[in-house]
Amino acid sequence: MHATVVEVTTHILDIPTIRPHKLSVAVMEHQSMVLVRLKTSDGIEGIGEATTIGGLNYGAESPESIKVNIDTYITPLLLGQPAYNPGALMGRIAKAVKSNHFAKSAVETALYDALGKRLSVPVSSLLGGAVHKEVGVAWTLASGDTHKDIAEAQEMLGTRRHNIFKLKVGLKSFKEDLRHIAAIKKAVGDDVSVRIDVNQGWSECQAMAALRPLADAGVDLVEQPIHEKNLAGLGRLCGQGILPIMADEALQGREDGFALASAHCANVFAIKIEQAGGLRGAQDLMGIAQAADIALYGGTMLEGPVSTIAAAHLFATVGRLEWGTELFGPLLMKDNILAEPLDYTDFTLKLPQGPGLGIALDEDKVRHYARV
């Protein structure tokens, strides 16, 4: 148990997406991920990952800033330190580095992966233990074309890959969005759950006007319809009691979770390990939600397979994840960087059973997609 951190390296990988992914804040045709590789003195390597959505369109961190800040500020805090205590190391980083939640999440994931490998246990065991062997996974429809989205949904249903769909809206006009949503819900039928994510694309007045038509169309959930800072507006939307309102961009860590819960500003929390600052931060957010009787949803930053499976390890420890997850990020990418791809079957993502994250990189693919 005396191993120390001897090396931390970062690489930005750019992987094309299977189609343009259209959100109110960006149109993505590739995903850039920062791959963190942390080596210890006993020969173990832990891996972690951070991604953003559309560079700086979504938040304050970009792939480039994540890499620079890990290389320049975080790595010196890790080198030579005992590798067996992620909590102590992340506390050391927290004192010296403000914010940078995505960068911290990638580093923490690598530390837990290495520790799990050293102890021959999965990361989920280090987080309390898995109570599920798999998690349900929604698919996001975001081509921007109603007919293409319907065909995509029907293909997913036919292959038993997804039976829950989230629609990205807010890029078109308000009335066009409503027609788009209603058409897709009608096409997939009553037994299929349809949720919408506005990514802050509506005004409060628009969101208020939309709730009843959305409910009438059969929509189950509305995610972050208005600006993340308008907590009072989120509270007013929740107070209508028409549809559950889910907070996403408004959840940047524990303090945000407490503010939202104490002011009754959300019915559901979208838990994202990157936005929460890592696995333990996300675990704390879930505790706040559970104490406040706020339902849980496993969110994604459209991560690649490393961060996706890290999140799955965490979500598998939760007895009741009322709204499932959307850990579909690797499926949005044209290629896979793992030696064995993640197992998406029967509407779920299966949890690997090996030590640490339970995954291994395809080194040729990593080299191919890494920026020079």
Side-chain angles (χ1 to χ4, degrees):
M1 297 293 282
H2 300 293
T4 58
V5 178
V6 296
E7 183 181 25
V8 180
T9 58
T10 60
H11 303 278
I12 300 177
L13 279 57
D14 298 302
I15 302 180
T17 56
I18 58 174
R19 55 154 166 76
H21 195 71
K22 298 182 179 180
L23 303 83
S24 66
V25 295
V27 177
M28 295 175 56
E29 297 191 4
H30 72 275
Q31 179 58 296
S32 298
M33 67 181 75
V34 182
L35 184 67
V36 176
R37 308 185 74 157
L38 182 148
K39 294 182 180 179
T40 61
S41 58
D42 55 352
I44 291 174
E45 180 182 70
I47 55 175
E49 176 205 324
T51 63
T52 67
I53 293 175
L56 281 172
N57 285 113
Y58 184 88
E61 291 179 76
S62 69
E64 296 78 13
S65 73
I66 292 167
K67 174 176 170 50
V68 167
N69 288 338
I70 292 175
D71 292 347
T72 307
Y73 296 100
I74 295 178
T75 293
L77 298 170
L78 295 171
L79 294 178
Q81 295 297 311
Y84 53 81
N85 192 332
L89 286 172
M90 295 309 297
R92 178 180 172 87
I93 291 168
K95 288 181 180 180
V97 179
K98 304 302 180 189
S99 299
N100 286 278
H101 285 185
F102 290 29
K104 289 174 179 175
S105 178
V107 169
E108 187 189 51
T109 295
L111 288 167
Y112 272 107
D113 183 38
L115 181 60
K117 289 171 179 173
R118 183 173 299 107
L119 299 176
S120 296
V121 298
V123 166
S124 57
S125 294
L126 303 175
L127 300 172
V131 294
H132 305 289
K133 294 181 179 179
E134 58 192 23
V135 293
V137 180
W139 177 254
T140 294
L141 299 169
S143 74
D145 183 290
T146 303
H147 298 295
K148 286 182 180 177
D149 281 354
I150 289 172
E152 197 172 289
Q154 289 173 338
E155 180 185 353
M156 299 300 175
L157 291 166
T159 58
R160 295 184 60 80
R161 209 175 75 177
H162 305 278
N163 61 355
I164 299 168
F165 299 101
K166 187 168 84 170
L167 315 184
K168 290 288 187 179
V169 298
L171 193 60
K172 300 179 180 179
S173 74
F174 180 59
K175 289 184 178 179
E176 283 181 298
D177 273 339
L178 289 178
R179 287 194 291 268
H180 175 71
I181 294 161
I184 292 173
K185 174 58 184 173
K186 183 177 180 181
V188 298
D190 293 339
D191 296 333
V192 174
S193 179
V194 169
R195 302 93 181 262
I196 68 162
D197 184 4
V198 193
N199 288 118
Q200 312 178 71
W202 289 343
S203 69
E204 185 179 338
C205 288
Q206 286 177 313
M208 197 70 75
L211 289 180
R212 179 52 62 194
L214 290 171
D216 291 344
V219 169
D220 294 326
L221 177 72
V222 179
E223 180 175 353
Q224 199 68 53
I226 61 176
H227 194 276
E228 64 190 75
K229 299 298 184 184
N230 188 1
L231 302 191
L234 286 171
R236 287 187 285 269
L237 293 172
C238 289
Q240 295 296 306
I242 297 172
L243 280 174
I245 304 298
M246 180 159 71
D248 176 12
E249 288 92 333
L251 278 174
Q252 300 292 328
R254 303 172 182 90
E255 295 81 5
D256 288 342
F258 179 78
L260 286 163
S262 59
H264 307 287
C265 296
N267 307 112
V268 186
F269 277 5
I271 305 295
K272 296 180 176 179
I273 64 172
E274 292 194 60
Q275 284 190 173
L279 293 161
R280 292 299 298 275
Q283 203 167 40
D284 289 347
L285 263 182
M286 292 193 294
I288 292 169
Q290 290 166 326
D293 198 24
I294 294 171
L296 295 172
Y297 179 69
T300 181
M301 285 300 302
L302 301 179
E303 291 110 334
V306 179
S307 197
T308 292
I309 209 62
H313 275 279
L314 173 62
F315 298 144
T317 70
V318 181
R320 190 175 176 212
L321 202 67
E322 294 93 334
W323 290 89
T325 83
E326 57 177 23
L327 298 180
F328 70 94
L331 299 174
L332 187 61
M333 299 175 193
K334 279 187 177 178
D335 208 348
N336 170 61
I337 62 165
L338 298 184
E340 293 290 335
L342 302 181
D343 184 357
Y344 289 94
T345 50
D346 288 325
F347 310 122
T348 65
L349 169 60
K350 306 296 189 290
L351 204 66
Q353 298 304 302
L357 294 175
I359 57 176
L361 296 171
D362 181 325
E363 300 294 352
D364 290 336
K365 293 289 181 66
V366 170
R367 281 190 292 270
H368 177 74
Y369 288 109
R371 289 186 192 176
V372 178

